[in-house]
Amino acid sequence: MGEIIRSLVTGKEVRISPSSLNTLTACERKWFFEKIMGLTSPSTPSQRLGQVVHWWLEQYLTGTLTLDQMEAPADPEKFHAWAKRSFDGHNKRREGEDPIQPFEITDGLQIAVIGIKMGTCPDPVEGREAYVEIRVQGRIGPLRYLGFADYAEQCEAEGLTARLIVDHKTTKNYYWAKSPAQLSRDPQMLFYAGAIWLTLTDDGTWAAPDDGGPLTVRHAYYHTTGGRPPSKIVEPPDPVPWSVVIENMGRFERGAIRMAGLAKLTDPDQVMANTSACKDFGGCPYQDRCSRSPRNRAQRSASQIIERASTMTTTAERLRQRILARRGGGADPTTAEPDVSPV
């Protein structure tokens, strides 16, 4: 089983995931605030809408709902009330976060329906093994991992097993969508593919499936503000080599080792901060707590200026007092009337 690494601050287990490794890579101190100190921030409206869209797609992919039921429910009022209860039971709210609102449920449904009708959402067909919200768990390096992949399927083709893994993405702007080349090296997609299909051998190395069948990774994008097209697919033109998936697992193992080392610390000032990432994705929510953030550096600079001015004033006063003492208590040179008598 191996040792369970825990935070010395909260006592909670430290795990690795694609999102936590992304955070660590962007800024180790931000990762420390979240995973070691246990700080969280409420979901943004965009994140909440993304969660709702994911939930609706899951209902469709698991066969809980048909497209007809989603488009034209027999009793819309009861249907939406059921959806809100089910979503709330499925998604844990963060501390300080408001309950999901009815309009968010409705907006998410409309976005999901458009994506399904356009074929952006995968449509499981007979003869393929399809998996929805696949739970992936295990250990990599010193840390355990636990996550959920949106969708995966495999089917036999010409004596090989063709494998596909899909991640649903909501966005306000396709500018942020990954290119096919970026997607073929995307750490999250490769990690989930590895966690699902790779085998960890007795000597601790990762091995590709015996058949070596092709692996396809896909991002299914759903536009949330009426952009064109309303949804689209990004997919590399060629299968991803299994060697790239194995290499990515090595990157995660190195990240897990780094996280385990940082878990031994208790002071965020002991952890490296990347100030160039402070404004990423709308701004780091922990800038007020970070001594290296531009916001706090500006405040410190202002305080230092005030402190220097105060010091200069104090020094000037001491000099004035020394001059008065040497004059035997004569007139204060800073306040004495100037001599304006004619020469």
Side-chain angles (χ1 to χ4, degrees), residues 222-243:
Y222 305 84
H223 206 290
T224 59
T225 57
R228 291 290 181 268
S231 66
K232 72 173 186 176
I233 289 173
V234 174
E235 185 178 301
D238 301 313
V240 177
W242 286 105
S243 60

Side-chain angles (χ1 to χ4, degrees), residues 94-320:
R94 298 180 184 180
E95 185 177 349
E97 193 169 87
D98 294 330
I100 200 74
Q101 299 301 310
F103 76 87
E104 293 175 298
I105 294 289
T106 302
D107 290 350
L109 172 61
Q110 293 173 347
I111 294 167
V113 165
I114 291 172
I116 294 169
K117 295 174 73 172
M118 290 187 65
T120 303
C121 176
D123 197 0
V125 297
E126 189 174 351
R128 297 182 182 181
E129 297 178 51
Y131 310 91
V132 182
E133 281 293 296
I134 315 106
R135 181 186 179 98
V136 293
Q137 59 183 350
R139 176 178 288 272
I140 188 163
L143 301 182
R144 298 197 298 178
Y145 63 83
L146 172 65
F148 295 87
D150 288 341
Y151 179 86
E153 68 176 32
Q154 58 186 40
C155 65
E156 298 300 320
E158 300 179 356
L160 297 176
T161 301
R163 297 171 174 86
L164 166 69
I165 187 161
V166 180
D167 192 31
H168 305 303
K169 297 288 186 182
T170 53
T171 184
K172 290 181 177 179
N173 191 333
Y174 287 130
Y175 172 82
W176 303 108
K178 291 185 181 295
S179 68
Q182 291 172 324
L183 187 56
S184 67
R185 296 295 187 271
D186 181 67
Q188 181 185 42
M189 299 299 285
L190 299 180
F191 176 79
Y192 283 140
I196 295 170
W197 289 304
L198 292 185
T199 302
L200 188 61
T201 63
D202 293 337
D203 62 358
T205 59
W206 295 93
D210 292 337
D211 63 85
L215 169 66
T216 300
V217 295
R218 178 189 299 169
H219 272 180
Y221 283 96
Y222 305 84
H223 206 290
T224 59
T225 57
R228 291 290 181 268
S231 66
K232 72 173 186 176
I233 289 173
V234 174
E235 185 178 301
D238 301 313
V240 177
W242 286 105
S243 60
V244 174
V245 181
I246 293 172
E247 179 185 333
N248 187 68
M249 297 304 276
R251 176 173 177 261
F252 270 76
E253 185 168 358
R254 293 189 293 274
I257 292 170
R258 178 59 178 161
M259 291 177 184
L262 293 174
K264 299 176 182 179
L265 305 177
T266 57
D267 184 353
D269 284 337
Q270 297 175 289
V271 182
M272 185 169 58
N274 176 19
T275 55
S276 65
C278 291
K279 295 182 179 180
D280 288 356
F281 305 108
C284 176
Y286 314 116
Q287 290 189 60
D288 289 342
R289 296 174 176 266
C290 180
S291 59
R292 291 290 312 282
S293 73
R295 183 182 304 171
N296 278 336
R297 288 210 307 271
Q299 291 175 347
R300 285 201 310 276
S301 297
S303 298
Q304 289 168 353
I305 292 172
I306 294 172
E307 185 178 347
R308 288 197 197 104
S310 177
T311 301
M312 291 173 65
T313 301
T314 302
T315 302
E317 176 61 22
R318 288 175 180 170
L319 180 60
R320 187 180 69 82

Side-chain angles (χ1 to χ4, degrees), residues 2 58 77 79 84 93 148 166 191-192 227 236 239 256 270 320 327 332-333:
E58 182 183 343
E77 185 175 342
F79 177 73
K84 186 178 184 308
R93 292 203 308 271
F148 295 87
V166 180
F191 176 79
Y192 283 140
Q270 297 175 289
R320 187 180 69 82
R327 290 185 175 185
D332 186 342

Side-chain angles (χ1 to χ4, degrees), residues 39-108:
L39 302 182
T40 59
S41 58
S43 299
T44 65
S46 294
Q47 289 171 331
R48 284 161 63 96
L49 182 56
Q51 293 167 0
V52 175
V53 173
H54 273 72
W55 181 82
W56 280 117
L57 294 171
E58 182 183 343
Q59 307 315 302
Y60 172 75
L61 288 168
T62 56
T64 302
L65 295 172
T66 65
L67 180 58
D68 289 340
Q69 290 172 320
M70 296 170 73
E71 281 196 286
D75 188 328
E77 185 175 342
K78 286 185 178 180
F79 177 73
H80 285 87
W82 164 82
K84 186 178 184 308
R85 288 195 307 271
S86 299
F87 177 85
D88 284 337
H90 182 270
N91 290 270
K92 182 179 179 181
R93 292 203 308 271
R94 298 180 184 180
E95 185 177 349
E97 193 169 87
D98 294 330
I100 200 74
Q101 299 301 310
F103 76 87
E104 293 175 298
I105 294 289
T106 302
D107 290 350

Side-chain angles (χ1 to χ4, degrees), residues 1-6 12-14 139 142-144:
M1 184 65 178
E3 177 190 7
I4 294 179
I5 306 298
R6 297 186 181 278
K12 294 181 178 180
E13 181 181 359
V14 178
R139 176 178 288 272
L143 301 182
R144 298 197 298 178

